[in-house]
Amino acid sequence: SRRSRSVGRRDRLVCASSSHDGMTARIALAQARCKMTLLEKNRVVTREGTIVSALPHYSRLGDILFEEQPMASSKQGGTAAAAEQLGSMSLGGRGNDTEPAATAKNGTPAKKLCSACGKESIALKKCNGCKCVWYCDKKCQNKHRKEHRKECKRIKVELDKRGGKLDLGEELDVGPVGKVPQREECPICMRALPSLECLQQYFVCCGKTLCNGCDFQHYMKSEGVRTCAFCRTATPRSDGEILARARKRVELKDPIALFNLGMSFRSGQLGLPMDQAKCIDLLREAADLGLTTAQYQIGCFYDNGEMGLEQNKEEANKYWVKAAEGGHLISRHNAGVKVYENGDRVAAMCHWRICASAGFKSSIDYLIEDFESGFLRHEDLTKTLWSFYDARAEMKSEDRDVHIAYLKRTGKYREEYDL
């Protein structure tokens, strides 16, 4: 059947692992018996199974595999039951959901947003392919074509199979999109930071996290002199300088500095001895301060029984749930994968809609699969696509485009940069 064909495609969790100066990116394959496969250094597997390199800039993520637990089916409580079993993880509620109504309060047609320029109007033209997005004119549509082409093609193929029908009549009710996590902004360009952390740069001098676009432009304008783009402090040239600055940030309870120093103790970098207990203490402190990356990493250590921690699946899941609630998109996406495998497709789609609305591309890909399989209504996919493109636009800037063009020109661009 159309539905059963899609089940086997949810067999991959999105994950990445790294150490302080050149971290390991990994992927866990979530299968029925919860087996894990770790890949070689500086590798990550895409959802299609292609191996590509990863170029992270500072300590971030570890391996993740959610514990397999019995979940309520969609017909037995739906999102409410799933939310209860996942603890406090939010699946529904309006939150900051910005979906436009079908009609205005006075009965007149509601204004829609152009997916290319963001202009609001009631006279926009609908995309003839996917029937999901709207444009001012052909110029805006062409401008957005590169961004929209893949999603549009897949949706159009499915609509053609249905003879133009938007829905099959058997779709599941997923409700409104839950609260979308607020994205941190680059302090220079004031645009939302990229969802993928290897396109960000943390500076230990001032504790600021900048987008690589601003950092790259500053580097080019300074004629190769390496300084912080925010505070203009010269970057450290030795492990001793890095460690001294890191300790100052740790004294100020900077959660990223705590995390990075802890990961340095894990691998014995910056001239530090390998100390598992110190690593865990620093990561716990960063996690208590709300750093979702630290919460995610501790969960991975519990799941694998690493760093002196006894293997504890339940404790690992608690940390992953905290990370997802705090806005960690990979944790939220992977939570969707696990509840899907446990039979709750409604909860899975709710997780992925939240991630997609924050601009996470892997989640929108999975939602389109659900539409193709007859689980997701066209209207729900449409609303998620609006939020997805809006979030992606917030993460774009001319300087970031210049940086990406430079990476492509020099052969350093990687497919995972578009997650």
Side-chain angles (χ1 to χ4, degrees):
S1 67
R2 298 175 64 85
R3 294 191 175 191
S4 62
R5 282 202 299 268
S6 68
V7 174
R9 305 177 73 179
R10 298 298 196 286
D11 60 350
R12 295 181 178 87
L13 296 181
V14 176
C15 53
S17 173
S18 51
S19 61
H20 184 73
D21 63 345
M23 314 309 294
T24 305
R26 299 173 177 172
I27 193 75
L29 302 181
Q31 299 176 341
R33 294 185 296 274
C34 281
K35 293 182 178 180
M36 183 182 298
T37 302
L38 304 182
L39 301 184
E40 56 190 285
K41 186 177 181 181
N42 288 334
R43 299 286 187 179
V44 64
V45 174
T46 66
R47 61 182 297 277
E48 299 299 336
T50 306
I51 297 180
V52 290
S53 300
L55 301 172
H57 285 282
Y58 63 92
S59 304
R60 296 190 313 281
L61 306 178
D63 309 305
I64 180 170
L65 188 66
F66 277 81
E67 180 182 5
E68 196 162 355
Q69 300 176 349
M71 300 297 299
S73 68
S74 305
K75 298 180 180 179
Q76 297 175 343
T79 60
E84 183 178 351
Q85 294 182 39
L86 283 171
S88 61
M89 189 178 296
S90 173
L91 294 176
R94 283 289 173 185
N96 56 348
D97 180 14
T98 56
E99 299 174 0
T103 57
K105 291 182 179 180
N106 59 4
T108 59
K111 292 183 178 180
K112 293 181 173 61
L113 295 176
C114 173
S115 294
C117 68
K119 180 181 177 182
E120 189 177 30
S121 173
I122 62 173
L124 300 180
K125 300 181 183 298
K126 183 185 292 187
C127 174
N128 287 329
C130 65
K131 314 287 186 187
C132 290
V133 296
W134 302 77
Y135 300 106
C136 297
D137 48 33
K138 195 69 175 178
K139 182 179 179 181
C140 281
Q141 186 174 15
N142 291 336
K143 179 181 177 181
H144 195 243
R145 182 63 180 168
K146 184 178 180 181
E147 178 79 11
H148 178 56
R149 180 174 61 245
K150 291 182 179 179
E151 293 80 24
C152 183
K153 183 177 180 180
R154 290 180 61 186
I155 298 171
K156 183 180 184 302
V157 168
E158 180 59 31
L159 291 177
D160 289 343
K161 290 180 182 179
R162 301 178 181 184
K165 292 179 59 177
L166 298 182
D167 295 318
L168 298 175
E170 300 178 354
E171 287 77 11
L172 303 175
D173 183 11
V174 296
V177 179
K179 185 176 181 180
V180 180
Q182 185 175 359
R183 302 294 301 167
E184 183 182 353
E185 294 179 345
C186 171
I188 294 180
C189 65
M190 303 306 292
R191 308 288 290 180
L193 286 170
S195 56
L196 195 64
E197 292 178 354
C198 61
L199 295 178
Q200 308 169 11
Q201 180 74 297
Y202 172 78
F203 286 88
V204 72
C205 47
C206 56
K208 299 295 184 183
T209 300
L210 313 179
C211 71
N212 279 5
C214 289
D215 178 50
F216 180 72
Q217 283 299 313
H218 171 70
Y219 177 76
M220 297 301 292
K221 291 177 181 178
S222 60
E223 298 180 351
V225 178
R226 199 72 173 98
T227 61
C228 172
F230 186 82
C231 68
R232 299 300 195 266
T233 301
T235 55
R237 295 180 177 273
S238 67
D239 287 349
E241 288 184 71
I242 296 174
L243 184 58
R245 292 186 183 182
R247 290 192 184 279
K248 288 182 179 180
R249 296 302 309 175
V250 166
E251 291 174 2
L252 296 174
K253 302 300 181 184
D254 182 332
I256 298 180
L258 287 163
F259 177 78
N260 285 345
L261 186 60
M263 296 300 286
S264 295
F265 274 110
R266 178 198 185 191
S267 53
Q269 294 176 333
L270 302 180
L272 296 170
M274 295 181 66
D275 191 330
Q276 294 183 348
K278 189 66 174 177
C279 170
I280 294 298
D281 288 343
L282 289 168
L283 263 61
R284 287 190 191 278
E285 191 173 355
D288 291 341
L289 291 171
L291 185 66
T292 57
T293 302
Q295 295 164 354
Y296 182 53
Q297 184 70 69
I298 294 174
C300 297
F301 289 152
Y302 269 116
D303 184 66
N304 298 326
E306 296 178 333
M307 303 306 293
L309 297 177
E310 185 178 350
Q311 190 175 39
N312 188 327
K313 299 288 187 178
E314 183 177 352
E315 194 68 18
N317 199 58
K318 288 180 181 178
Y319 276 99
W320 288 331
V321 168
K322 286 182 181 179
E325 277 293 316
H328 196 268
L329 296 181
I330 293 179
S331 292
R332 173 75 74 172
H333 177 88
N334 288 347
V337 174
K338 283 311 299 178
V339 296
Y340 187 97
E341 291 177 345
N342 290 326
D344 197 335
R345 296 178 177 86
V346 170
M349 289 188 287
C350 288
H351 283 306
W352 293 330
R353 290 187 77 197
I354 291 173
C355 290
S357 296
F360 196 65
K361 194 174 188 301
S362 293
S363 294
I364 203 70
D365 289 340
Y366 278 19
L367 288 171
I368 294 177
E369 285 187 17
D370 285 320
F371 171 72
E372 293 168 337
S373 303
F375 293 129
L376 186 65
R377 292 183 301 184
H378 184 270
E379 180 183 2
D380 293 326
L381 177 61
T382 294
K383 293 175 180 178
T384 308
L385 273 175
W386 292 346
S387 299
F388 171 73
Y389 289 132
D390 184 58
R392 301 282 285 191
E394 283 296 313
M395 292 187 285
K396 290 183 178 294
S397 71
E398 291 185 8
D399 288 344
R400 295 179 193 184
D401 290 342
V402 170
H403 176 245
I404 292 297
Y406 167 78
L407 294 178
K408 291 180 177 180
R409 189 168 62 251
T410 57
K412 298 178 181 179
Y413 183 81
R414 300 292 181 264
E415 289 183 13
E416 68 268 23
Y417 290 173
D418 198 32
L419 283 181

